[in-house]
Amino acid sequence: MSRRAVMITPELLLRAYRAGLFPMAESREAGRLYWLDPERRGVIPLEGFHLPRRLRRTVLSGRFTVTADTDFAAVIAGCAEPAPGREDSWINPEIEWLFTALHRMGHAHSIEVREGDALLGGLYGVALGAAFFGESMFSRARDVSKVALVHLVARLRAGGFTLLDTQFITEHLTQFGTVEIPRAEYKMRLERAVNAEARWQTMPEELEAEIRRL
């Protein structure tokens, strides 16, 4: 993959996403960000999302309260905190500032998963047109980040989104049907998606119905 150092603003960040690039830091304490443009891109097919049976029961159990955009700052901070197998993070303070700015502009969104009053996990990403760029997720209890992902997929499907970009593919994501596609194919799909319309806000009954269809 190609990388180059750059100073990034929220407006520049949106233009970069439209072109298929995204920023990362080398570490939590790094003072420089880089554009990344991977040769192969992870994508979750929204119409081919695979929901394991056990996870379906967990999502529909009512154990967790799942919301959107109620505490973006806490979600991105949770994604940046150390976790087993991830002692460092690519989310540095500049990344936090940039995406919080995008959230205020209406382009960055979060999914929060709570049990009672405790925030147990969630995810965040960027929406442009009918494309959603998943950035990071975190979990403080079993299956919580997976519950957040299921609710994200249901929200995107109900709202008419056509592209869910995961940037890279991981073992965690393969169980949901995530695939890798070449850069050229990704950018063709991206161009169609960012120039289409979708709706982020959906009604609770739409989300429940969509989850049951997964």
Side-chain angles (χ1 to χ4, degrees):
M1 67 185 68
S2 59
R3 302 188 306 179
R4 61 185 178 86
V6 68
M7 294 182 62
I8 306 175
T9 65
E11 294 75 16
L12 180 59
L13 184 53
L14 290 177
R15 293 201 299 272
Y17 273 98
R18 285 184 176 274
L21 291 82
F22 58 90
M24 294 183 74
E26 293 284 358
S27 69
R28 177 69 173 159
E29 302 303 323
R32 176 179 293 179
L33 303 182
Y34 297 91
W35 291 128
L36 279 80
D37 187 13
E39 293 182 2
R40 299 187 65 81
R41 199 69 162 248
V43 171
I44 295 180
L46 290 170
E47 296 305 319
F49 183 77
H50 173 66
L51 179 56
R53 185 175 302 174
R54 184 188 64 79
L55 181 58
R56 179 190 295 272
R57 290 196 298 268
T58 299
V59 171
L60 295 174
S61 69
R63 173 186 170 189
F64 301 111
T65 300
V66 184
T67 56
D69 294 335
T70 63
D71 202 341
F72 185 89
V75 169
I76 195 169
C79 290
E81 68 187 16
R86 191 190 67 194
E87 285 66 35
D88 202 355
S89 172
W90 58 268
I91 302 172
N92 69 355
E94 186 176 1
I95 289 282
E96 290 190 70
W97 177 83
L98 282 165
F99 284 89
T100 300
L102 289 187
H103 175 63
R104 290 195 298 267
M105 294 165 64
H107 287 291
H109 300 286
S110 59
I111 301 290
E112 304 89 18
V113 184
R114 296 181 176 87
E115 188 171 23
D117 294 330
L119 179 64
L120 295 185
L123 58 80
Y124 77 97
V126 174
L128 279 174
F132 190 89
F133 309 87
E135 286 296 314
S136 188
M137 59 178 60
F138 79 104
S139 183
R140 294 170 179 154
R142 183 182 181 185
D143 288 339
V144 173
S145 63
K146 297 176 184 178
V147 170
L149 178 61
V150 172
H151 274 262
L152 172 67
V153 169
R155 180 176 291 272
L156 297 182
R157 285 169 49 122
F161 284 78
T162 59
L163 177 66
L164 174 51
D165 171 17
T166 69
Q167 298 177 349
F168 304 108
I169 192 168
T170 65
E171 183 178 350
H172 173 77
L173 293 173
T174 56
Q175 65 186 297
F176 301 107
T178 307
V179 297
E180 276 191 327
I181 59 176
R183 180 192 291 153
E185 180 182 348
Y186 170 77
K187 292 193 176 181
M188 286 191 294
R189 294 191 191 184
L190 174 65
E191 183 177 7
R192 290 194 298 266
V194 297
N195 289 303
E197 293 186 2
R199 174 172 54 101
W200 170 253
Q201 293 298 335
T202 53
M203 301 299 291
E205 57 268 23
E206 291 181 274
L207 295 179
E208 182 175 352
E210 198 62 61
I211 289 172
R212 293 186 181 278
R213 282 193 287 268
L214 292 174

